[in-house]
Amino acid sequence: HDISKAFPYVILISLSVHSLIEAMPLLSSHEGHDHGPNNLLWGIFLHKIPVAIALMTIFKAANINRRNAWIGLGIFAITAPIGLLFGAYLMNHFNVNLNFVMAIAIGMFLHISTTIIFESNAGHKINLYKFIAILCGFGLGMVLN
């Protein structure tokens, strides 16, 4: 019972760390360049919506009271701006190159997305049709880029 009560908070902590890390390199991704809209910013923004819904669903399933669930959601909501500010602080005061943080954030995106794509089947078997669709999408992306 103690583990099941801790589970939503462990999820909150891991999602918050993920959010903090993925937002840190936001300013460094366009340093010295004019690429128009910040695609990473929009990706993170749009990514937060389903994650927030999933987090609140987990809180509700765990019977976390409404007040604590909203506090948890608020904590999650401020982690990306904190990550952005922390990344800016590191860049401005210590001249830190945040490319390594960008690499970690991209690695997290790839790990999570491939886990969702490849391990969503019963028995965690690779679906040949999904694999072919992924290869087609990759090929199309390479051609259009």
Side-chain angles (χ1 to χ4, degrees):
H1 292 283
D2 291 335
I3 293 173
S4 64
K5 289 184 180 197
F7 179 74
Y9 298 108
V10 171
I11 294 294
L12 172 63
I13 291 167
S14 28
L15 287 173
S16 296
V17 169
H18 171 79
S19 177
L20 187 89
I21 290 172
E22 71 185 5
M24 282 177 64
L26 272 172
L27 294 178
S28 69
S29 66
H30 288 319
E31 189 176 280
H33 304 285
D34 182 23
H35 294 287
N38 192 331
N39 293 331
L40 180 60
L41 173 66
W42 281 106
I44 290 172
F45 175 75
L46 294 174
H47 169 65
K48 296 293 176 228
I49 297 167
V51 173
I53 292 169
L55 183 61
M56 289 301 276
T57 302
I58 290 169
F59 284 150
K60 186 173 181 174
N63 294 320
I64 304 296
N65 70 48
R66 182 174 279 204
R67 179 179 169 270
N68 288 346
W70 281 103
I71 290 171
L73 186 64
I75 290 169
F76 172 68
I78 64 169
T79 55
I82 290 171
L84 176 84
L85 293 173
F86 184 62
Y89 177 78
L90 290 175
M91 281 176 33
N92 293 332
H93 294 329
F94 299 104
N95 202 24
V96 173
N97 183 335
L98 294 177
N99 287 339
F100 73 95
V101 179
M102 179 69 86
I104 292 169
I106 290 169
M108 287 189 303
F109 285 133
L110 289 173
H111 171 70
I112 292 167
S113 62
T114 56
T115 299
I116 290 169
I117 290 170
F118 289 119
E119 295 189 10
S120 60
N121 294 339
H124 303 288
K125 294 181 181 177
I126 294 178
N127 183 324
L128 180 62
Y129 296 115
K130 280 185 183 180
F131 187 68
I132 291 170
I134 290 166
L135 290 177
C136 288
F138 179 77
L140 186 62
M142 296 298 287
V143 169
L144 296 177
N145 193 9

